[in-house]
Amino acid sequence: MKRIAVLTSGGDSPGMNAALRAIAKLAAGQGLQVFGSLEGYDGLIDGRFRELTKVLSDGAVSVDIEVDVAGGQGGTLIGSARSARFRDAAGRAQAKVQLEKLGAEGLIVIGGNGSLTGAHLFAHEQGVKVMGIPGSIDNDIGCTSTSLGVDTALNTIVEACDRIADTARAHRRAFVVEVMGRDCGYLAMAGAIAMAADAVLIRESGKTEAQLVEDVRAVIKNGFARGKRRILIIKAEGVNVPCTRLVRLTEERMREELPTLEIRATVLGHVVRGGNPSYQDRHVAGRLGFGAVSALLGGFSDE
């Protein structure tokens, strides 16, 4: 094995660049060249690659300087996208042709559920040696305890909620803060525990809109009755009631009980996905990058 390819697919997450750096460093140490597919599976189909390593004049392989620097940055140096074309067998067949043209004998895919499902199909259908690295802030990938970006996302949530709590106490207000996570409530639950929030709303509870409004009403009423100056409720984006609608319905429900009540809705959105990776995410990226390269060299695939 002389060359391998790597791609980042789906939603970006902090730690993807750290994984690219780890893969390039470990592969270079074994004399392997690494090529990054630009914009995920679409770049693979189109044959758009970037060298993540350089062959020196003496034949040694070294990590590209920009890759080395980017390891401590958020996002992904080689771009990411969701590819409709790769879902078709024709697209996957074309991707294999491009890998063969490149001379790559293995592929590492960094991404979430959809990306890794595509990697699994690619390995079985096209016979390509493929390894997957879980990268998703949602932490919703089966058989993994954590994914790249989860720790950084949680640190961002905690920092944002700390700031929100400051202004909430100053004005004796209630805040409903929505965080990302798609259909998984992990970020909301873990963030709520870290913040000692008054309540957390997750899709997994299966509650109706009316039940959610009543729960929020009870939490706010009881909290202020105990003398609290801030009420913090963290809501997962998977809960089907929009944050602003939930706040409006709750205020209407409580107009007679607390006529001066002010509830604020804050949607953190893509702020949660950005930022330089934490120590934990860089550490996990290094270990998973080492495992992926070692597995390919060991002849393993679809792991």
Side-chain angles (χ1 to χ4, degrees):
M1 186 174 287
K2 297 296 183 182
R3 289 183 173 186
I4 61 173
V6 59
L7 63 84
T8 51
S9 175
D12 65 287
S13 62
M16 283 185 166
N17 278 329
L20 293 175
R21 177 174 63 183
I23 290 166
K25 278 182 172 290
L26 291 160
Q30 298 293 325
L32 291 177
Q33 291 179 266
V34 181
F35 291 79
S37 171
L38 302 179
E39 314 301 335
Y41 285 118
D42 276 345
L44 192 61
I45 293 171
D46 296 334
R48 293 182 285 115
F49 298 101
R50 171 180 176 171
E51 289 187 73
L52 304 185
T53 56
K54 300 292 184 182
V55 179
L56 305 180
S57 58
D58 62 357
V61 182
S62 178
V63 178
D64 180 81
I65 293 176
E66 191 174 354
V67 175
D68 208 359
V69 173
Q73 300 171 354
T76 166
L77 182 68
I78 56 176
S80 186
R82 292 178 173 87
S83 174
R85 291 186 292 162
F86 196 77
R87 295 179 188 139
D88 295 331
R92 295 191 291 272
Q94 180 62 22
K96 181 182 180 181
V97 170
Q98 297 292 2
L99 280 177
E100 290 174 343
K101 285 182 179 179
L102 180 67
E105 301 172 69
L107 172 69
I108 298 174
V109 174
I110 307 170
N113 276 316
S115 303
L116 297 181
T117 298
H120 173 71
L121 284 172
F122 198 38
H124 279 260
E125 182 183 271
Q126 301 296 330
V128 177
K129 289 183 179 179
V130 179
M131 296 302 302
I133 292 179
S136 170
I137 66 168
D138 304 331
N139 208 27
D140 60 351
I141 301 173
C143 303
T144 63
S145 59
T146 190
S147 302
L148 296 183
V150 174
D151 185 69
T152 305
L154 281 172
N155 284 323
T156 300
I157 289 168
V158 168
E159 181 181 357
C161 287
D162 276 341
R163 294 171 184 266
I164 287 169
D166 288 343
T167 190
R169 280 189 293 267
H171 296 278
R172 197 169 181 268
R173 284 180 181 156
F175 274 80
V176 178
V177 179
E178 181 178 294
V179 302
M180 296 186 84
R182 296 188 71 179
D183 293 331
C184 177
Y186 180 84
L187 288 182
M189 181 66 73
I193 292 171
M195 283 301 304
D198 296 276
V200 58
L201 309 177
I202 56 175
R203 180 178 181 272
E204 290 86 339
S205 68
K207 292 188 176 182
T208 65
E209 179 178 90
Q211 289 173 321
L212 290 169
V213 170
E214 180 57 30
D215 286 350
V216 172
R217 183 202 70 82
V219 167
I220 292 174
K221 181 180 179 181
N222 293 337
F224 283 140
R226 298 198 312 271
K228 297 196 69 171
R229 291 196 60 84
R230 74 90 163 136
I231 305 296
L232 177 64
I233 298 169
I234 298 183
K235 171 188 174 295
E237 72 171 334
V239 175
N240 291 328
V241 183
C243 195
T244 51
R245 175 176 172 81
L246 179 62
V247 164
R248 178 172 58 79
L249 292 175
T250 304
E251 284 183 328
E252 291 174 357
R253 176 76 171 77
M254 301 185 71
R255 190 162 291 154
E256 293 184 5
E257 294 175 300
L258 295 172
T260 62
L261 173 66
E262 292 185 8
I263 310 175
R264 294 287 185 266
T266 301
V267 179
L268 296 184
H270 286 77
V271 168
V272 176
R273 190 182 279 177
N276 295 340
S278 63
Y279 155 77
Q280 180 69 16
D281 278 325
R282 298 183 200 204
H283 178 71
V284 170
R287 294 185 67 180
L288 292 177
F290 172 81
V293 173
S294 298
L296 284 178
L297 288 172
F300 293 95
S301 179
D302 195 30
E303 299 289 338

